Amino acid sequence: MAAGNRSLFLESVRQQCRCWMRGGFRNPQEPLNLFHQLAAMRPLPSVIDFNSLLASIVKMKHHSTVIYLSHHLHSSLGLRPDLYSLNILINCYCRLNRLDFAFSLVGKIMKLGFELDSVTFNPFINSLVSTNQFKQAAELFHGLVRDGFRPTGVTYGTVIKGLCGTGNTAAAIQLLRRMDEEGGLCQPGIVVYSTLIDSLCKDKFIVEALNLFEEMKNKGISPDVVTYTSLLRGLCNLGRWEEAKTILNNMLESGVAPNVHTLSMLVDMYCKEGMVGEAQAIIKALRMKGVVPDIFTYTTLMDGYCSQGRIEEASKLLDFMVTEGCEPNIVSYNTLINGYCRINNVEKAFNLIGDMSLKGITPDIVTYNTLIQGSYKAKKPQLALKLFTEMQASGLTPDRFTHAVLMDGLCRSGQIDKAMTILQKCEKKGLHFDIVIYNILIDGLFETGRHSSAVELFSSLPTKNLQPCIRTYCVMLKGLCKTGLQVEAIELLTRMEENGLCPNEASYNIIIRGLLYNDDISKAMHYVNVMKGKGFSASVSTTAKLFNLMCDDRLDESSKELIRRSILHDKATEIK
């Protein structure tokens, strides 16, 4: 290539590299072709030209390609790397989470006589943060500072993100103050402030978040949509709706346009609080500002309607979505199916399966779980079992929730034998259930009068590598008391404490009601005293039984006084 042509070609390559962000390269093949053209030139162009092309490919996230080209350039073609070349290579290895290879290049940098700087170590910290190794990232950062390296704004920002990710917001704010002290290029910007504000809001430190918000504005840093959305979420989470409205108005007046994520978040918050009317109003208001609801927004509002039993409005919303060009997805249909099942309208829920099929949407595990649960609730156990079989035939594997719903439904419909058969079949296949399933089965066995089988199943839990939980003990206590085995129930209560589980309020209420049911008044009063001593209260049903006991001549005056104080204390607590 003639000298003039060579110079023109190299200048063209440099120009394309400089403007690649404005469309200089349409795909990775373009810089790759240029790289091979440069590699074919003799003498080889400067390492700086190669670095520019490699950096362009890095921006396109083709890190493995850059590693291959770098090795070809420096090993095969013999071009000596500079510090920038090696930093590019370190960045690529860190992006691929190969910190071992990246660290080996640090040694090469020192061997070649280059001076290490913060840019070299930024990729290491970023890699550790992106893989949730926040503690290691912080340790590396502080080690670099001790060794005299001056962190860049990028370094600070990455470590602050990591500290916030572990809930260590206080340490992150200390780094913010350190950035303020250093000044210059380390001045915190919008990303750092937004990260900290979001973390404070998640930790419910809304006052501190609002203070940082004012601080950044005083520094001339304009909040963006991310900052405002974090603050809005924080205020809504704490029920500070009026302040949230003020922040939203401030956002609009400042010319910061809310996006669909802001809208969806607000709708979600309002619907969770049962404020569906406010959710509708915010959709209407922001729609006038050009914010178009998406599938998540509509589905959230639909769930809000369903939670209030407003199923017809939810159904109309599903149809309205289609007219707006927003096609419902599996989550939308599952939401409406769940709404119909809540009001025992299983027929309407099943009709939606046909609509889904016409749109090419296949029912998933959530669909079947909802329908199985709805069928049991509507007292259609045979339909539930049919669905369970159909689900497996369609290639879906029952999950933990499926089995819990199925076992609970079978037990409630008096089909405990069927439930036990399914358990045995699953165990033979090597499937292992959690304690929730066994709690359901133990309760079902007691309810059908098979207390020996219930006790046997409870005793077998350790052989299944399962530890009884509070709920397990409560089920056992209730079952034993109902069977008239109050002595065994009291022994179990003692064993519960010996096994490191402290009886809770429900445990004591169950044992007291059981003893009263079996006419063991003295022991019942003993446990009323114990329960009060532990700061627990009598439940409504326990209080009713104790109140009726006041007329019993067998009760002495001190016991009646204990009951009076117990009832009065609980009522006072309830009023507070």
Side-chain angles (χ1 to χ4, degrees):
M1 185 182 290
N5 290 341
R6 177 188 172 97
S7 298
L8 287 173
F9 176 68
L10 288 175
E11 185 53 40
S12 169
V13 171
R14 292 164 191 155
Q15 184 63 29
Q16 288 181 73
C17 289
R18 280 194 292 270
C19 69
W20 78 271
M21 289 185 70
R22 300 192 300 274
F25 295 124
R26 291 184 295 274
N27 58 67
Q29 194 58 47
E30 291 182 7
L32 196 59
N33 290 339
L34 290 174
F35 179 90
H36 289 306
Q37 286 179 267
L38 289 182
M41 294 173 69
R42 294 295 181 273
L44 284 172
S46 163
V47 69
I48 296 170
D49 292 316
F50 283 104
N51 287 344
S52 299
L53 279 173
L54 291 175
S56 301
I57 301 172
V58 168
K59 293 286 186 183
M60 295 180 182
K61 303 187 187 304
H62 288 266
H63 304 111
S64 297
T65 302
V66 172
I67 290 170
Y68 169 77
L69 293 175
S70 294
H71 283 301
H72 175 67
L73 182 65
H74 305 308
S75 300
S76 302
L77 299 181
L79 189 65
R80 188 177 187 272
D82 62 5
L83 180 59
Y84 189 57
S85 314
L86 294 169
N87 281 343
I88 288 173
L89 206 47
I90 284 172
N91 183 36
C92 288
Y93 277 126
C94 288
R95 294 284 178 180
L96 296 171
N97 295 322
R98 292 309 308 260
L99 300 190
D100 48 348
F101 290 147
F103 271 116
S104 70
L105 287 169
V106 173
K108 187 169 184 177
I109 288 173
M110 296 171 70
K111 187 177 179 181
L112 291 172
F114 297 123
E115 189 173 336
L116 295 170
D117 59 13
S118 295
V119 175
T120 306
F121 291 102
N122 282 348
F124 289 100
I125 293 172
N126 189 62
S127 178
L128 290 168
V129 168
S130 66
T131 53
N132 298 325
Q133 298 180 70
F134 302 119
K135 183 181 178 183
Q136 293 89 328
E139 286 173 355
L140 177 58
F141 172 82
H142 291 302
L144 291 172
V145 172
R146 280 195 304 271
D147 290 341
F149 290 98
R150 187 174 181 183
T152 63
V154 173
T155 319
Y156 274 113
T158 304
V159 177
I160 285 172
K161 178 185 174 185
L163 289 168
C164 289
T166 55
N168 199 349
T169 314
I173 290 174
Q174 286 180 353
L175 284 186
L176 172 71
R177 298 302 165 224
R178 190 168 183 166
M179 290 178 78
D180 286 332
E181 290 169 7
E182 289 204 14
L185 296 175
C186 281
Q187 281 293 339
I190 181 65
V191 174
V192 168
Y193 273 104
S194 293
T195 302
L196 285 164
I197 288 170
D198 184 61
S199 186
L200 287 166
C201 288
K202 284 176 179 173
D203 293 339
K204 299 184 179 179
F205 293 128
I206 195 67
V207 173
E208 291 80 356
L210 289 167
N211 287 341
L212 269 189
F213 179 69
E214 290 303 319
E215 178 184 309
M216 66 181 284
K217 288 197 294 182
N218 291 336
K219 286 183 175 181
I221 302 169
S222 300
D224 62 9
V225 66
V226 176
T227 324
Y228 278 111
T229 300
S230 294
L231 273 178
L232 287 168
R233 183 186 291 109
L235 289 165
C236 291
N237 267 329
L238 294 172
R240 296 166 68 162
W241 303 103
E242 290 306 314
E243 287 173 89
K245 287 176 185 175
T246 302
I247 289 290
L248 180 60
N249 289 333
N250 179 271
M251 178 182 184
L252 296 170
E253 289 167 6
S254 300
V256 179
N259 57 25
V260 70
H261 299 296
T262 314
L263 173 60
S264 296
M265 181 274 297
L266 288 169
V267 170
D268 185 45
M269 291 292 175
Y270 279 123
C271 286
K272 280 177 179 174
E273 292 297 317
M275 302 162 72
V276 180
E278 286 81 352
Q280 288 175 292
I282 202 73
I283 289 174
K284 185 177 179 181
L286 291 189
R287 188 165 196 139
M288 292 174 67
K289 299 287 182 182
V291 184
V292 181
D294 65 4
I295 187 71
F296 181 79
T297 319
Y298 283 123
T299 302
T300 303
L301 182 60
M302 194 186 305
D303 188 52
Y305 283 136
C306 290
S307 66
Q308 295 187 347
R310 297 160 66 180
I311 308 302
E312 291 309 311
E313 289 173 87
S315 181
K316 287 176 184 176
L317 182 58
L318 189 77
D319 296 331
F320 176 73
M321 287 165 60
V322 178
T323 65
E324 291 289 291
C326 188
E327 284 297 324
N329 60 14
I330 184 67
V331 180
S332 312
Y333 277 105
N334 284 343
T335 300
L336 194 53
I337 286 170
N338 185 47
Y340 279 120
C341 287
R342 279 180 183 178
I343 59 169
N344 291 338
N345 196 337
V346 182
E347 289 75 18
K348 280 275 185 83
F350 270 95
N351 289 341
L352 287 171
I353 300 293
D355 293 346
M356 289 167 62
S357 180
L358 290 172
K359 292 181 180 292
I361 300 172
T362 306
D364 63 5
I365 191 74
V366 176
T367 318
Y368 278 105
N369 286 347
T370 306
L371 288 169
I372 291 169
Q373 190 174 40
S375 298
Y376 276 122
K377 189 180 177 188
K379 303 193 183 308
K380 297 184 178 182
Q382 294 309 313
L383 178 58
L385 283 171
K386 182 185 172 186
L387 282 165
F388 181 66
T389 305
E390 182 186 303
M391 178 184 75
Q392 293 175 92
S394 71
L396 291 170
T397 304
D399 62 8
R400 171 183 169 276
F401 187 74
T402 316
H403 283 111
V405 168
L406 185 71
M407 297 297 191
D408 187 57
L410 288 168
C411 291
R412 287 178 186 275
S413 58
Q415 295 178 283
I416 184 65
D417 289 325
K418 180 71 176 174
M420 292 302 293
T421 300
I422 291 173
L423 173 72
Q424 288 157 11
K425 282 182 179 178
C426 289
E427 286 182 335
K428 282 180 181 176
K429 289 179 183 177
L431 295 175
H432 301 289
F433 294 130
D434 62 14
I435 195 65
V436 174
I437 301 293
Y438 289 95
N439 291 345
I440 292 168
L441 292 170
I442 292 168
D443 190 43
L445 288 166
F446 272 122
E447 289 296 321
T448 52
R450 297 163 63 176
H451 70 271
S452 296
S453 298
V455 171
E456 186 181 331
L457 186 57
F458 173 77
S459 301
S460 73
L461 292 177
T463 66
K464 303 176 191 298
N465 293 320
L466 289 172
Q467 290 298 319
C469 63
I470 288 283
R471 172 65 184 159
T472 319
Y473 280 105
C474 285
V475 168
M476 285 294 296
L477 290 170
K478 184 185 76 169
L480 291 169
C481 288
K482 279 186 74 173
T483 317
L485 300 169
Q486 58 265 36
V487 174
E488 287 82 349
I490 290 169
E491 287 175 357
L492 185 64
L493 191 72
T494 305
R495 202 190 322 161
M496 182 180 175
E497 290 189 88
E498 289 170 354
N499 291 337
L501 274 177
C502 294
N504 61 358
E505 191 168 275
S507 312
Y508 284 111
N509 274 284
I510 289 168
I511 205 84
I512 292 165
R513 287 197 303 272
L515 289 165
L516 291 174
Y517 178 80
N518 289 290
D519 217 26
D520 196 339
I521 296 172
S522 61
K523 278 198 176 70
M525 294 314 300
H526 166 73
Y527 281 104
V528 168
N529 211 11
V530 171
M531 181 174 73
K532 301 307 293 182
K534 290 183 179 289
F536 296 136
S537 301
S539 66
V540 174
S541 55
T542 306
T543 300
K545 285 188 178 294
L546 289 170
F547 188 78
N548 293 335
L549 196 60
M550 294 284 285
C551 302
D552 197 308
D553 293 335
R554 292 172 295 171
L555 203 66
D556 58 38
E557 281 305 313
S558 62
S559 294
K560 286 182 181 180
E561 180 59 27
L562 175 61
I563 292 174
R564 273 193 290 269
R565 282 191 283 110
S566 174
I567 293 171
L568 287 171
H569 175 269
D570 292 343
K571 286 292 178 188
T573 304
E574 196 177 298
I575 292 167
K576 284 179 183 177

